[in-house]
Amino acid sequence: MAGLYIHIPFCKQACHYCDFHFSTSLKKKSELVNALCKEMVLRKEEIRGPLQTIYFGGGTPSLLDAEDLQQIFKTIDDHFEVVEAPEITLEANPDDLTEAKLIMLAASRINRLSIGVQSFFEEDLKLMNRAHNATEALRCLQLAKQYFDNISIDLIYGMPDMSDARWQENLDQALALGIPHISSYALTVEPNTALQKFIEKGVVKPVDDAVAQRHFEILLAKMEQAGFENYEFSNFGKPGYFSQNNTAYWTGKPYLGIGPSAHSFDGNTRSWNINNNPKYIKAIAADSLPIERETLSTTDKYNEYVMTGLRTIWGVSLEKIEKDFGLKFRTYVLQQAQKHIEEHLLFLDDDRIVVTKKGKFLSDGLASDLFILNLS
């Protein structure tokens, strides 16, 4: 089984915290869609096995119209094998999700929406420079539930001046709407973003890690109480609503990334496309793939497995480490994990090393402690 990721590099406006690749000009949207379809044809042999997931990410995929989606799905059907009931997700912004848009999407092959709500509070949305307002955030979800069962929303915590009470209200609102999947992220300050500049100038208060950790603990408690499972550090799902796309990514399954800046992984190599729309379109038109590739070493694969595994409920399998990397790696990871097990940040569950509730907020740091630079 494999996944297909399609990057739609357009947005109405730039969010202050975002460092993803996108353009605010839609002039080349038609050319870009043509290029996406052609890249799929050029790279169809790179993916083995049927597609289990198709994911439209961005950018803002909800800027696509019915004709765009029809063209993309026809290309997929003509050149790829797809399982009988694939998970097909489209990321969407609340301001795009009018009833007419939702009817169009529901009539397409899309069967899962991931909606970038981020917050139900006006002051948060203005600070982030989101294109929607709080009223649109609420209304779009009420409408979306009429046409889609499988809905995920994004929420951001750790915002400057976001009180614990306001964060709890955000979660309460999402739960009251009956949304079955929530992806929640701490606000991070990425280099060269507007948010970084505002903080440096004193226009916006710095992000406080202690606040983010407190909000994460509130998140864990609220989600657990509401019957959600924290199957990956940032992802919470009701039973039957885990994202198959997210799960495949965190468990190391192969995926093909199409579009400017999109990444791919086949188990042995990673590759990524150029993050420039005009150069991408020009290269694809000339039957050239604007891609860089990296072959992963055994150490790279081990480190990536540890990093992704510790973020999930499935943890890191000692049996898999020994089978894929050798006994030395198994011995090493157990030695490195021991002090964290004694501190109740990690625990052994049969043959798996899993992060405890106490250690969850520290999972990336714990993983780095289990990394190796070289093991001969």
Side-chain angles (χ1 to χ4, degrees):
M1 298 293 186
L4 179 65
Y5 173 83
I6 303 170
H7 188 75
I8 308 300
F10 300 109
C11 287
K12 290 179 180 176
Q13 63 190 49
C15 296
H16 288 159
Y17 58 87
C18 182
D19 69 340
F20 290 168
H21 170 66
F22 65 91
S23 169
T24 54
S25 170
L26 298 178
K27 289 179 182 178
K28 293 186 178 292
K29 181 163 78 77
S30 179
E31 290 178 70
L32 193 283
V33 171
N34 289 338
L36 293 175
C37 292
K38 187 171 182 181
E39 187 191 355
M40 280 191 266
V41 177
L42 291 173
R43 300 182 67 190
K44 62 184 179 181
E45 301 301 329
E46 291 186 31
I47 209 77
R48 302 184 194 88
L51 297 177
Q52 183 179 15
T53 63
I54 300 169
Y55 193 98
F56 292 84
T60 311
S62 50
L63 292 173
L64 295 174
D65 56 33
E67 291 73 23
D68 297 328
L69 288 171
Q70 288 167 6
Q71 181 181 349
I72 291 169
F73 281 125
K74 184 179 187 308
T75 305
I76 292 171
D77 290 340
D78 288 348
H79 297 281
F80 296 89
E81 182 185 356
V82 183
V83 298
E84 186 174 340
E87 177 190 86
I88 306 179
T89 302
L90 181 129
E91 292 183 352
N93 279 353
D95 47 301
D96 292 328
L97 294 181
T98 61
E99 186 156 22
K101 187 77 169 193
L102 285 161
I103 290 171
M104 182 275 283
L105 292 172
S108 76
R109 304 262 289 282
I110 306 297
N111 54 30
R112 182 175 184 270
L113 292 181
S114 177
I115 305 175
V117 170
Q118 314 308 358
S119 177
F120 291 101
F121 288 89
E122 204 66 47
E123 53 265 52
D124 297 334
L125 298 173
K126 286 180 179 177
L127 186 147
M128 291 184 273
N129 198 39
R130 296 292 292 170
H132 67 278
N133 58 42
T135 301
E136 288 171 323
L138 185 59
R139 184 172 181 276
C140 86
L141 292 172
Q142 292 167 335
L143 278 173
K145 286 187 64 186
Q146 297 176 31
Y147 298 97
F148 287 86
D149 169 61
N150 198 349
I151 297 172
S152 176
I153 66 170
D154 289 351
L155 292 175
I156 291 181
Y157 59 87
M159 298 271 296
D161 292 324
M162 176 184 273
S163 66
D164 293 357
R166 192 157 91 218
W167 174 232
Q168 290 189 61
E169 284 184 59
N170 262 320
L171 295 172
D172 288 340
Q173 180 64 82
L175 295 173
L177 288 163
I179 304 302
H181 187 281
I182 294 174
S183 296
S184 193
Y185 307 94
L187 181 68
T188 55
V189 184
E190 302 293 348
N192 303 314
T193 57
L195 179 60
Q196 183 194 44
K197 293 178 175 63
F198 291 151
I199 290 174
E200 288 173 351
K201 292 177 181 177
V203 176
V204 174
K205 291 181 181 178
V207 172
D208 188 332
D209 288 342
V211 171
Q213 182 167 0
R214 197 164 65 243
H215 287 182
F216 180 72
E217 290 165 357
I218 291 169
L219 173 67
L220 284 181
K222 282 271 186 185
M223 293 296 100
E224 183 177 355
Q225 185 179 23
F228 286 74
E229 187 148 15
N230 183 204
Y231 67 99
E232 187 276 326
F233 179 80
S234 301
N235 288 280
F236 299 77
K238 283 284 186 76
Y241 288 94
F242 290 9
S243 165
Q244 293 178 37
N245 176 79
N246 293 353
T247 300
Y249 174 78
W250 293 109
T251 54
K253 292 185 178 177
Y255 57 91
L256 178 64
I258 299 294
S261 80
H263 284 59
S264 303
F265 174 65
D266 67 5
N268 293 307
T269 62
R270 290 202 178 277
S271 60
W272 52 96
N273 285 345
I274 191 171
N275 63 348
N276 180 293
N277 290 3
K279 289 181 179 179
Y280 168 81
I281 292 169
K282 184 178 180 181
I284 297 296
D287 294 337
S288 174
L289 294 175
I291 295 175
E292 290 186 54
R293 300 184 191 272
E294 173 192 23
T295 300
L296 301 178
S297 67
T298 300
T299 298
D300 292 333
K301 293 177 187 177
Y302 163 85
N303 287 344
E304 288 198 5
Y305 174 62
V306 168
M307 179 187 72
T308 54
L310 282 188
R311 290 180 65 98
T312 72
I313 57 172
W314 303 287
V316 171
S317 166
L318 297 173
E319 182 182 351
K320 177 178 172 59
I321 285 179
E322 184 171 351
K323 176 175 176 289
D324 291 355
F325 309 110
L327 181 59
K328 285 185 179 180
F329 285 79
R330 178 190 172 113
T331 302
Y332 175 84
V333 74
L334 270 174
Q335 288 174 342
Q336 292 297 107
Q338 191 56 45
K339 61 182 177 183
H340 300 304
I341 292 171
E342 292 169 2
E343 294 170 354
H344 305 291
L345 300 174
L346 298 174
F347 71 98
L348 278 176
D349 181 17
D350 291 331
D351 94 310
R352 293 180 177 270
I353 300 172
V354 184
V355 174
T356 66
K357 186 181 291 187
K358 178 183 175 183
K360 275 192 176 182
F361 193 74
L362 307 172
S363 58
D364 285 349
L366 293 171
S368 68
D369 223 18
L370 308 187
F371 287 173
I372 55 175
L373 298 177
N374 190 30
L375 189 66
S376 57

